Amino acid sequence: MDKPIRIALTKGRLERDTVALLEKAGYDCTAVREKGRKLILPIDGENLEIVLAKANDVITYVEHGVCDVGVVGKDTIMEMQGKFFEVADLGFGRCRFALAAKKGSDFYSGYNVKTIATKYPNVTRSYFESKGMDVEIVKIEGSVELAPLLELSDAIVDIVETGTTLKENGLEVKEYVCPISARLIVNMVSMKTRRQEIERLVTKLDWANA
Ligand code: PRP
């Protein structure tokens, strides 16, 4: 038998939603549900294996072909780019990229170059380039909402889901940048060499998601 098709899942919420979808599609995910600290889990009765990884690493593993398929947010895809096929929008993990700043502030007032804090410098750069606006970008690793509160930046570009984090920290959305959701990505070589198995998986997930 061929080696299993490896599916890299972004750990956390996307992992839970993907496991629910796989189960709806008829795959036995008992090993993932009872995983403990294990990171590579078989799907019983199928030549499939789940690999649990951080979002950026899902892309790295799929790009390098050590995983055939990946489930990752469009936010990570936009930030990392890379060479792979994006074959499906899975519909869950829905949120938006937004430009946010202190409530009541006028982001565009004044002539000074604005400072933007973000975990997503590439997304931020291309957003402001598309507006023809020069900004200074500061990379932050998490809780980006702190940056305007500490006066490090004029605004942030970040993910907004419910809006609660912004609201509870006295910030508000100034502009929405684009919608985000979980995507299914496929390694370019695997798409040729394991086409049938991958198409079967994608079709089953499509049906379960319909
Ligand atoms: C994300 C994002 C916001 C928050 C938005 O952070 O960076 O901080 O969720 O969600 P909300 O609109 O529903 O409040 P995450 O929880 O991933 O943590 P992090 O900031 O440490 O990366």
Side-chain angles (χ1 to χ4, degrees), residues 119-120 141-145 158-166:
K119 278 186 278 186
Y120 303 89
E141 292 300 328
S143 300
V144 181
E145 294 83 0
D158 199 20
I159 289 170
V160 177
E161 191 185 353
T162 60
T164 310
T165 313
L166 290 180

Side-chain angles (χ1 to χ4, degrees), residues 39-168:
L39 298 170
I40 304 183
L41 295 316
I43 292 196
D44 256 6
E46 303 277 344
N47 200 23
L48 289 179
E49 223 167 46
I50 300 290
V51 172
L52 299 175
K54 288 243 181 197
N56 289 0
D57 300 338
V58 167
I59 291 193
T60 304
Y61 293 141
V62 171
E63 228 189 332
H64 284 75
V66 296
C67 291
D68 306 284
V69 177
V71 175
V72 66
K74 184 68 179 176
D75 53 323
T76 310
I77 295 176
M78 286 172 68
E79 182 62 22
M80 299 241 328
Q81 292 162 2
K83 288 195 170 68
F84 46 79
F85 294 116
E86 186 183 316
V87 298
D89 181 344
L90 295 174
F92 50 75
R94 281 194 190 284
C95 50
R96 288 189 276 187
F97 266 131
L99 172 72
K102 280 189 186 159
K103 195 161 188 267
S105 66
D106 181 1
F107 174 71
Y108 288 104
S109 72
Y111 292 101
N112 59 319
V113 172
K114 306 293 180 198
T115 303
I116 313 294
T118 186
K119 278 186 278 186
Y120 303 89
N122 294 329
V123 170
T124 303
R125 191 170 306 110
S126 68
Y127 180 61
F128 283 101
E129 267 173 18
S130 75
K131 289 171 163 292
M133 188 173 161
D134 195 20
V135 294
E136 189 186 326
I137 297 169
V138 182
K139 171 97 195 283
I140 297 290
E141 292 300 328
S143 300
V144 181
E145 294 83 0
L146 277 171
L149 301 179
L150 299 175
E151 316 259 306
L152 174 68
S153 73
D154 297 292
I156 61 174
V157 167
D158 199 20
I159 289 170
V160 177
E161 191 185 353
T162 60
T164 310
T165 313
L166 290 180
K167 197 166 175 219
E168 292 196 0

Side-chain angles (χ1 to χ4, degrees), residues 176-202:
Y176 284 108
V177 175
C178 67
I180 294 167
S181 56
R183 305 297 161 100
L184 198 65
I185 62 172
V186 178
N187 171 267
M188 296 182 102
V189 175
S190 305
M191 193 62 133
K192 291 200 182 84
T193 56
R194 313 287 302 260
R195 187 167 197 107
Q196 274 194 333
E197 292 154 282
I198 290 171
E199 275 182 353
R200 179 170 173 269
L201 171 70
V202 174

